[in-house]
Amino acid sequence: MTTTPEVALSDRLSAQVPRYTSYPTAPHFHPGVASETYRQWLSALPAGTGISLYLHIPYCDRLCWFCACNTRQTRQYGPVTRYLAALHKEIDTVAALVGPAIRVRSVHFGGGSPTMLLPADIVALDRRLRQAFDYAADAEISVEIEPNDMDEARFDALAAIGMTRVSLGVQDFDPKVQAAINREQSFELTRSAVEGARSRGARSVNLDLVYGLPHQTVASVEATVRQALQLRPDRIALFGYAHVPWFKKHQTMIDEAWLPDARERFAQSTRAGEVIVEGGYEAIGLDHFALPGDSLAVAMRTGRMHRNFQGYTDDDGEVLIGLGSSSIGRLPQGYIQNNPATGEYERQVGEGGLAVSRGYAFSEEDLARGWVIERLMCDFAFSPAELARLFPAHAPGILADARRLAGDDRGAVFAEEHDRFVVTPEGRPLVRTVAAGFDTFLRTGKARHSAAV
Ligand SMILES: C[S@@+](CC[C@H](N)C(=O)[O-])C[C@H]1O[C@@H](n2cnc3c(N)ncnc32)[C@H](O)[C@@H]1O
Ligand code: SF4
């Protein structure tokens, strides 16, 4: 980061910008797109469409104080049972609308903690899905695993549903950091969860790590990374802690005086990335790493990587159907988000309906800008010729924005090369701020986001 003036850099590190897991971003979804629209969009999917499913389980046995996910703690299982009954009903309703000629290519169980479900409920959920939808023979089945949940019976359930891919939450191995975020999890427990998943069929294991947490230093983050590398995960996601206490009240349990500042966060993420790359991993996009043979690394090298609500993915399906409260889907016509209030979600699907609370119908310009933002987030570059080929009507306006941005930066962060616009290697940590330059909504938006790095 030598070419960027000091003041501008620190301003940008603390700038608040979206993570661009969608465009437009979720704060711009609105209630004008509701269940009736979704019903039409689902019914219009052509036969033979390959789809991905995302199932959201908004429960955890305990609450980590740093968590920004859509979840809640429950000590009793009754609410989970009621929720699962509704989820089964929603599966049937959606499957009836899309018809039998739709092929499921991937399923992702996320949360919250899907592994807090009883083993029999995990198996029953999978059975209902397979009865309702036609699965491709090689469908990916991925599961977010909370290592503290795991026992033999749960691993057996994951093997029974054909899990192929898992992602384990680690965050940090330092006991002092773990105490400050209410997330105790020993290295040995994590090791046994990785081994358990691999021995039950997971071909690819991801570990989630987080920097910018309370009490972390460059040295402590490096120590966590070195421990994680001992487990030889196929992928590592390295997230910057998003401190959003105005949105997640339990984060007020974290004293802001314990948090590293923007410069320290940047140093932690830089050092962590260096150690992971020295360990033989390829840096992927903003915050992921993968072994060179992993499908995400292959997708990156061949320009086929994508970004969706789960982050970076090699899943190139055009249709993502979200199931469960708060889940977000993407169809060719736009985005759909289910009601985040579980009670309301259960009532709506219980009556045999859909439970959309808001969404967004794409304009042609949204698709063009969304394409540029996705390519920047995935490839750190985009081709003007490709933009003009895909979106001829909107390319001139967007390229004018690109030239203005590259001019503003005088080549430090974003530059025009002979046949493409690129985020410079030094500018990569700031790719979200570059993407924001193409976001017409940001100029009018009122949403608050987390720090850029
Ligand atoms: C749904 S959880 C993963 C599965 C499981 N619940 C667990 O914690 O092991 C998703 C991941 O999001 C990340 N995450 C959650 N809250 C975050 C925050 N405030 N800032 C950055 N990353 C966060 C964590 O790395 C976490 O593992
Ligand atoms: S980090 Fe995972 S286990 Fe912790 S509260 Fe969030 S979703 Fe639940």
Side-chain angles (χ1 to χ4, degrees):
M1 194 61 59
T2 47
T3 48
T4 312
E6 286 286 294
V7 175
L9 172 62
S10 64
D11 280 355
R12 285 173 177 221
L13 292 179
S14 54
Q16 309 217 321
V17 279
R19 295 175 47 76
Y20 290 112
T21 54
S22 70
Y23 181 77
T25 54
H28 301 287
F29 298 179
H30 58 82
V33 172
S35 295
E36 193 41 47
T37 309
Y38 189 30
R39 190 177 293 277
Q40 288 164 17
W41 289 358
L42 286 172
S43 306
L45 288 176
T49 305
I51 61 168
S52 307
L53 299 177
Y54 171 79
L55 283 92
H56 191 71
I57 307 297
Y59 292 101
C60 293
D61 294 320
R62 53 133 183 214
L63 200 57
C64 311
W65 292 331
F66 78 101
C67 182
C69 300
N70 199 313
T71 190
R72 80 217 59 187
Q73 182 179 27
T74 179
R75 292 182 206 282
Q76 281 155 6
Y77 201 72
V80 183
T81 303
R82 281 197 293 283
Y83 179 76
L84 288 175
L87 190 53
H88 282 216
K89 189 106 201 235
E90 189 192 11
I91 290 168
D92 289 348
T93 303
V94 169
L97 285 167
V98 299
I102 298 294
R103 179 62 61 95
V104 173
R105 296 166 38 160
S106 73
V107 186
H108 185 92
F109 295 90
S113 297
T115 48
M116 71 85 67
L117 299 181
L118 291 173
D121 285 340
I122 295 174
V123 173
L125 190 53
D126 171 71
R127 193 173 304 133
R128 189 65 160 243
L129 285 166
R130 289 179 192 266
Q131 281 163 357
F133 292 101
D134 183 20
Y135 273 38
D138 59 352
E140 285 283 5
I141 311 292
S142 63
V143 184
E144 291 175 12
I145 288 183
E146 205 305 32
N148 290 284
D149 286 336
M150 297 315 288
D151 53 22
E152 288 300 302
R154 283 193 169 77
F155 276 124
D156 288 346
L158 296 186
I161 72 168
M163 129 189 97
T164 57
R165 208 175 261 292
V166 293
S167 176
L168 284 79
V170 172
Q171 332 310 348
D172 192 288
F173 286 120
D174 182 342
K176 188 174 175 193
V177 176
Q178 292 189 355
I181 60 171
N182 195 35
R183 169 94 184 201
E184 279 170 33
Q185 181 176 322
S186 70
F187 178 70
E188 280 315 313
L189 181 87
T190 305
R191 181 205 293 278
S192 89
V194 168
E195 286 169 0
R198 285 197 167 126
S199 70
R200 303 310 211 286
R203 292 190 302 262
S204 177
V205 172
N206 173 76
L207 298 184
D208 287 343
L209 304 180
V210 179
Y211 66 85
L213 289 171
H215 304 306
Q216 280 182 325
T217 63
V218 172
S220 78
V221 170
E222 178 170 344
T224 284
V225 168
R226 291 195 185 282
Q227 282 180 286
L229 291 178
Q230 287 176 33
L231 304 174
R232 203 69 183 155
D234 302 85
R235 299 181 187 175
I236 295 175
L238 176 69
F239 299 123
Y241 169 49
H243 188 61
V244 286
W246 58 88
F247 171 55
K248 293 285 172 188
K249 289 280 173 276
H250 54 260
Q251 289 189 346
T252 56
M253 299 294 287
I254 293 177
D255 188 335
E256 291 184 2
W258 302 338
L259 293 176
D261 65 14
R263 270 177 192 282
E264 176 66 18
R265 282 170 66 98
F266 184 62
Q268 290 174 6
S269 92
T270 305
R271 184 64 195 138
E274 285 167 1
V275 174
I276 297 170
V277 169
E278 282 161 18
Y281 291 74
E282 290 188 19
I284 311 262
L286 181 65
D287 49 17
H288 280 52
F289 300 84
L291 289 173
D294 185 89
S295 57
L296 194 61
V298 175
M300 179 193 66
R301 290 197 297 271
T302 51
R304 287 184 299 101
M305 196 162 73
H306 293 279
R307 188 155 170 84
N308 67 18
F309 296 98
Q310 284 93 60
Y312 289 106
T313 175
D314 53 327
D315 182 350
D316 59 3
E318 202 193 349
V319 176
L320 171 67
I321 293 183
L323 296 161
S325 75
S326 82
S327 66
I328 298 178
R330 185 195 155 119
L331 282 87
Q333 301 92 332
Y335 293 116
I336 287 294
Q337 180 165 30
N338 271 351
N339 206 317
T342 47
E344 196 48 21
Y345 162 81
E346 286 165 14
R347 189 188 61 73
Q348 288 173 306
V349 298
E351 289 169 358
L354 295 165
V356 177
S357 64
R358 54 189 194 141
Y360 187 89
F362 297 133
S363 70
E364 191 63 18
E365 182 173 355
D366 297 330
L367 290 171
R369 290 185 177 273
W371 180 85
V372 168
I373 288 173
E374 187 179 38
R375 289 337 315 150
L376 287 171
M377 296 297 292
C378 291
D379 306 337
F380 297 108
F382 75 89
S383 149
E386 186 69 356
L387 176 68
R389 187 181 70 74
L390 292 170
F391 304 100
H394 297 284
I398 294 174
L399 291 175
D401 285 352
R403 293 203 176 93
R404 184 178 42 74
L405 279 170
D408 286 351
D409 271 320
R410 294 183 299 278
V413 171
F414 185 61
E416 183 170 11
E417 288 184 348
H418 59 287
D419 63 348
R420 53 191 205 143
F421 282 92
V422 298
V423 181
T424 61
E426 299 77 20
R428 287 184 175 200
L430 297 169
V431 62
R432 288 163 62 183
T433 61
V434 177
F438 294 91
D439 179 348
T440 50
F441 293 83
L442 209 58
R443 294 166 204 163
T444 53
K446 297 182 182 64
R448 294 175 75 185
H449 304 277
S450 59
V453 176

